[in-house]
């Protein structure tokens, strides 16, 4: 069994070692390509039976170049980087590793929020999170971790997720909401955890953001595609009390920084899941899932069924 680990954004070295150990313990062979180009990927995938990736784009050309490929495991949650229809047509199973990096992403939400409400540590008086309202958009693994941490800060937590029953949220001390309008109107802080799908693309824009109460802070550790960037910029320009922190640089980042200066913050590269622990958990899970699929057809987390 040949397992290719291709990561444009490398895992922590200890995680790579653990992935290799898991693969070797199963009698399989790991090929590692870090920071590789697309050409590197097309070449390296030629004899791979399994492919482990992060946000790396896996389309038909990659699958055409991989006649032996049986399974692709996205070491992480979102799989919008993989062409599922083409994978299905090629008979390739695609899985993700749900929950393995969600705490890391949730912690970064608060890392960015505290920095923003303390005015990016410029020495002026900021504000606290205690007693403030937080709305979580999508109550999946990351959203639940965000809720847990927010309660530690003493925030009032609400969430919107039409796929999750109200009782599930209530059991975790979270008030369920049922429309995006309510979510934005009722919360000073809104944290996005929706995947990028045809339904969500560009869905967060001017109209929703303008509904936020005074001092609204929008937090995005999900995907840049879910934002209508022109609409968000317009709202930020019209309302000087609004702020935006994002782990994914928008295409109009410079325009936003020029217009809003310290009211916006972007990490240089998406790094929500970039912790040693998340790399280890997601990477080893991806290795074990690849092996289990190749050996026994185990496909619990298949996303192209
Ligand atoms: C995910 O979908 O798991 C996160 O966005 C992390 O993505 P990454 O592996 O590219 O950091």
């Amino acid at each position: 069994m040949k397992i290719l680990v291709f990561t444009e954004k490398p895992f922590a070295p200890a995680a790579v070692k653990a992935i290799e150990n898991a693969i070797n313990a199963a009698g399989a062979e790991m090929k590692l390509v870090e920071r590789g180009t697309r050409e590197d990927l097309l070449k390296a995938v030629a004899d791979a039976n399994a492919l482990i990736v992060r946000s790396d784009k896996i389309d038909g050309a990659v699958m055409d170049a991989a006649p032996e490929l049986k399974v692709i495991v996205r070491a992480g949650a979102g799989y919008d980087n993989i062409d599922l229809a083409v994978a299905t047509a090629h008979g390739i199973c695609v899985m993700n590793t749900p929950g393995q990096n969600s705490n890391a992403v949730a912690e970064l939400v608060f890392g960015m929020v505290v920095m923003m409400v303390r005015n990016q540590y410029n020495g002026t008086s900021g504000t606290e999170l205690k007693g403030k309202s937080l709305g979580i958009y999508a109550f999946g693994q990351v959203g639940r971790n965000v809720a847990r941490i927010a309660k530690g800060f003493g925030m009032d937590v609400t969430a919107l997720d039409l796929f999750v029953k109200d009782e599930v949220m209530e059991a975790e001390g979270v008030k369920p909401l049922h429309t995006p309008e309510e979510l934005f109107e009722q919360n000073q802080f809104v944290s996005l955890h929706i995947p990028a799908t045809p339904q969500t693309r560009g869905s967060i824009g001017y109209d929703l953001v303008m509904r936020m109460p005074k001092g609204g802070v929008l937090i995005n550790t999900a995907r840049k595609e879910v934002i209508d960037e022109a609409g968000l910029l317009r709202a930020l320009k019209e309302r000087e009390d609004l702020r935006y922190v994002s782990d994914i640089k928008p295409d109009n980042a410079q325009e936003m920084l020029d217009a809003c200066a310290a009211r916006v913050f972007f990490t240089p590269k998406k790094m929500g899941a970039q912790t040693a622990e998340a790399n280890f958990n997601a990477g080893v899970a991806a290795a074990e899932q690849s092996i289990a699929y190749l050996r026994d057809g185990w496909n619990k987390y298949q996303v192209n069924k």
Side-chain angles (χ1 to χ4, degrees):
M1 289 187 286
K2 290 192 176 163
I3 301 182
L4 171 63
V5 178
F6 183 92
T7 51
E8 191 274 319
K9 184 170 55 184
F11 290 125
V16 174
K17 192 80 217 132
I19 295 165
E20 187 169 24
N21 289 344
I23 291 174
N24 291 344
E29 189 190 316
M30 175 174 96
K31 193 193 280 182
L32 177 68
V33 181
E34 293 179 323
R35 299 189 184 87
T37 62
R38 193 166 160 81
E39 284 64 43
D40 295 332
L41 173 58
L42 293 174
K43 217 162 119 192
V45 84
D47 61 350
N49 306 118
L51 170 61
I52 295 175
V53 292
R54 298 184 67 175
S55 293
D56 309 278
K57 192 173 168 55
I58 306 299
D59 56 16
V62 177
M63 295 183 232
D64 286 343
E68 310 299 327
L69 194 61
K70 304 276 178 292
V71 58
I72 300 170
V73 184
R74 193 286 191 237
Y79 43 86
D80 46 309
N81 52 316
I82 301 172
D83 191 326
L84 296 187
V86 175
T88 304
H90 280 69
I92 297 171
C93 167
V94 181
M95 289 191 263
N96 64 351
T97 63
Q100 301 290 355
N101 60 15
S102 46
N103 181 66
V105 179
E107 288 191 11
L108 187 70
V109 167
F110 292 92
M112 293 196 299
V113 166
V114 170
M115 187 191 62
M116 183 49 82
V117 296
R118 295 300 182 101
N119 303 329
Q120 303 206 30
Y121 308 126
N122 70 0
T124 62
S125 284
T127 56
E128 301 180 17
L129 298 181
K130 188 175 175 189
K132 305 294 189 324
S133 54
L134 169 70
I136 299 173
Y137 199 167
F139 203 62
Q141 304 269 6
V142 181
R144 286 167 210 223
N145 275 288
V146 169
R148 172 179 56 78
I149 299 169
K151 282 187 277 167
F153 275 100
M155 302 185 86
D156 294 326
V157 188
T158 58
L160 167 66
D161 192 324
L162 301 180
F163 301 100
V164 175
K165 288 199 172 86
D166 287 3
E167 304 88 88
V168 173
M169 294 184 193
E170 282 157 0
E172 300 199 26
V174 172
K175 184 181 160 210
L177 298 176
H178 302 100
T179 66
E181 288 74 18
E182 282 180 311
L183 186 82
F184 280 78
E185 277 160 16
Q186 295 183 22
N187 288 290
Q188 185 184 343
F189 296 83
V190 172
S191 189
L192 304 176
H193 302 290
I194 46 179
T197 65
Q199 293 73 37
T200 63
R201 283 208 169 87
S203 63
I204 311 295
Y206 180 83
D207 291 337
L208 283 176
V209 175
M210 288 299 281
R211 289 173 188 265
M212 294 185 85
K214 192 166 163 39
V217 180
L218 178 65
I219 307 128
N220 185 7
T221 54
R223 290 289 182 272
K224 81 182 160 86
E225 289 80 4
V226 304
I227 302 283
D228 164 10
E229 293 176 349
L232 174 60
L233 176 61
R234 188 174 147 219
L236 286 164
K237 280 181 176 169
E238 278 180 31
R239 282 203 27 206
E240 293 197 352
D241 61 304
L242 292 177
R243 288 169 286 179
Y244 180 52
V245 291
S246 179
D247 187 30
I248 318 100
K249 231 183 205 168
D251 291 337
N252 60 358
Q254 199 49 54
E255 237 184 307
M256 282 202 192
L257 285 162
D258 290 346
C260 312
R263 290 190 292 124
V264 294
F265 172 81
F266 314 119
T267 53
K269 199 165 192 174
K270 186 170 73 139
M271 53 172 290
Q274 198 60 328
T275 65
E277 294 88 341
N279 290 171
F280 184 98
N281 294 339
V284 172
E288 287 172 349
Q289 290 178 210
S290 301
I291 293 159
Y293 182 81
L294 291 176
R295 273 194 177 156
D296 311 316
W298 183 94
N299 65 344
K300 182 168 175 191
Y301 299 124
Q302 184 165 356
V303 293
N304 62 331
K305 273 182 189 166

Coordinates of all heavy atoms in Angstrom, one line a residue, residues 9 11 53-56 74-80 101 105 221-223 270-274, ligand 1:
K9 N 0.6 23.2 2.9 CA 0.8 23.7 4.2 C 1.2 22.6 5.1 O 0.4 21.8 5.6 CB -0.4 24.4 4.7 CG -0.3 25.2 6.0 CD -1.6 26.0 6.3 CE -2.9 25.2 6.2 NZ -4.1 26.0 6.4
F11 N 2.2 19.8 7.9 CA 1.9 19.4 9.3 C 3.1 19.7 10.2 O 4.3 19.7 9.7 CB 1.6 17.9 9.4 CG 0.3 17.5 8.8 CD1 0.3 16.5 7.9 CD2 -0.9 18.1 9.2 CE1 -0.9 16.0 7.3 CE2 -2.1 17.6 8.7 CZ -2.1 16.6 7.7
V53 N -4.6 14.8 2.1 CA -4.3 16.2 1.8 C -5.0 17.1 2.9 O -5.7 16.6 3.8 CB -4.9 16.6 0.5 CG1 -4.2 15.9 -0.7 CG2 -6.4 16.3 0.4
R54 N -4.7 18.4 2.8 CA -5.4 19.4 3.6 C -6.3 20.2 2.7 O -7.3 19.6 2.2 CB -4.4 20.2 4.4 CG -3.5 19.4 5.3 CD -2.6 20.2 6.1 NE -3.3 21.0 7.1 CZ -2.7 21.8 8.0 NH1 -1.4 21.8 8.1 NH2 -3.4 22.5 8.8
S55 N -6.0 21.5 2.5 CA -6.9 22.3 1.6 C -6.5 22.2 0.2 O -6.9 23.0 -0.7 CB -7.0 23.7 2.1 OG -7.6 23.8 3.3
D56 N -5.6 21.3 -0.1 CA -5.0 21.2 -1.5 C -6.1 20.8 -2.5 O -6.9 19.9 -2.2 CB -3.9 20.1 -1.4 CG -2.9 20.4 -0.3 OD1 -2.1 21.2 -0.4 OD2 -3.1 19.8 0.8
R74 N -9.2 13.8 3.4 CA -9.0 15.2 3.7 C -8.7 15.3 5.2 O -9.6 15.0 6.0 CB -10.2 16.0 3.3 CG -10.0 17.5 3.3 CD -9.9 18.1 4.6 NE -10.0 19.6 4.5 CZ -9.1 20.4 5.0 NH1 -8.0 19.9 5.6 NH2 -9.3 21.7 4.9
A75 N -7.5 15.6 5.6 CA -7.1 15.6 7.0 C -7.7 16.9 7.6 O -7.0 17.9 7.7 CB -5.6 15.5 7.2
G76 N -9.0 16.9 7.9 CA -9.6 18.1 8.4 C -11.1 18.0 8.1 O -11.6 16.9 7.9
A77 N -11.8 19.1 8.2 CA -13.3 19.1 8.1 C -13.8 19.4 6.7 O -14.6 18.6 6.2 CB -13.8 20.1 9.1
G78 N -13.5 20.5 6.2 CA -14.1 21.0 4.9 C -13.5 20.3 3.7 O -12.3 20.1 3.7
Y79 N -14.3 19.9 2.8 CA -13.8 19.1 1.6 C -14.2 19.8 0.3 O -14.3 19.1 -0.7 CB -14.3 17.6 1.7 CG -15.7 17.5 2.1 CD1 -16.8 17.5 1.2 CD2 -16.1 17.3 3.4 CE1 -18.1 17.4 1.5 CE2 -17.4 17.1 3.8 CZ -18.4 17.2 2.9 OH -19.7 17.1 3.3
D80 N -14.4 21.1 0.4 CA -14.8 21.8 -0.8 C -13.6 21.9 -1.8 O -13.8 22.4 -2.9 CB -15.3 23.2 -0.4 CG -14.4 23.9 0.6 OD1 -14.1 23.3 1.6 OD2 -14.0 25.1 0.3
N101 N -9.7 18.6 14.2 CA -9.0 19.9 14.3 C -9.9 21.0 14.8 O -9.5 22.2 14.8 CB -8.3 20.3 13.0 CG -9.3 20.5 11.9 OD1 -10.5 20.6 12.1 ND2 -8.9 20.6 10.6
V105 N -9.4 25.4 15.8 CA -10.1 26.5 15.1 C -10.9 27.3 16.1 O -10.8 28.6 16.1 CB -11.0 25.9 14.0 CG1 -11.8 27.1 13.3 CG2 -10.3 25.1 13.0
T221 N -13.8 32.0 10.6 CA -12.8 31.0 10.5 C -13.2 29.9 9.6 O -12.7 28.7 9.7 CB -12.4 30.4 11.9 OG1 -13.6 30.0 12.5 CG2 -11.7 31.5 12.8
A222 N -14.3 30.2 8.8 CA -14.9 29.1 7.9 C -14.2 29.1 6.5 O -13.2 28.5 6.3 CB -16.4 29.3 7.9
R223 N -14.8 29.8 5.6 CA -14.3 29.9 4.2 C -14.6 31.3 3.7 O -15.6 31.9 4.0 CB -15.0 28.9 3.3 CG -14.7 27.5 3.6 CD -13.3 27.1 3.2 NE -13.0 25.7 3.4 CZ -12.5 25.1 4.5 NH1 -12.3 25.9 5.5 NH2 -12.2 23.9 4.6
K270 N -4.4 30.9 6.2 CA -5.3 30.2 7.1 C -4.6 29.3 8.0 O -3.9 28.4 7.6 CB -6.3 29.4 6.2 CG -7.4 28.8 7.0 CD -8.5 28.2 6.1 CE -8.0 26.9 5.4 NZ -8.9 25.8 5.4
M271 N -4.8 29.6 9.3 CA -4.1 28.9 10.3 C -4.9 28.4 11.5 O -4.3 28.0 12.5 CB -2.9 29.7 10.8 CG -3.3 31.1 11.3 SD -1.9 31.9 12.1 CE -1.7 30.9 13.6
G272 N -6.2 28.4 11.3 CA -7.1 27.9 12.4 C -6.7 26.5 12.9 O -6.7 26.2 14.1
A273 N -6.4 25.6 11.9 CA -6.2 24.2 12.3 C -4.7 24.0 12.4 O -4.2 22.8 12.6 CB -6.7 23.3 11.2
Q274 N -3.9 25.1 12.4 CA -2.4 24.9 12.4 C -1.9 24.8 13.8 O -1.1 25.8 14.2 CB -1.8 26.0 11.5 CG -0.4 25.7 11.0 CD -0.3 24.5 10.2 OE1 -0.9 23.5 10.3 NE2 0.7 24.5 9.2
Ligands
LIG1 C1 -10.7 22.4 7.8 O1 -11.6 22.5 6.9 O2 -10.5 21.4 8.4 C2 -10.0 23.7 8.2 O3 -10.4 24.8 7.4 C3 -8.5 23.5 8.2 O4 -8.0 23.5 6.9 P1 -6.4 23.3 6.7 O5 -6.1 21.9 6.9 O6 -6.1 23.7 5.3 O7 -5.6 24.2 7.7

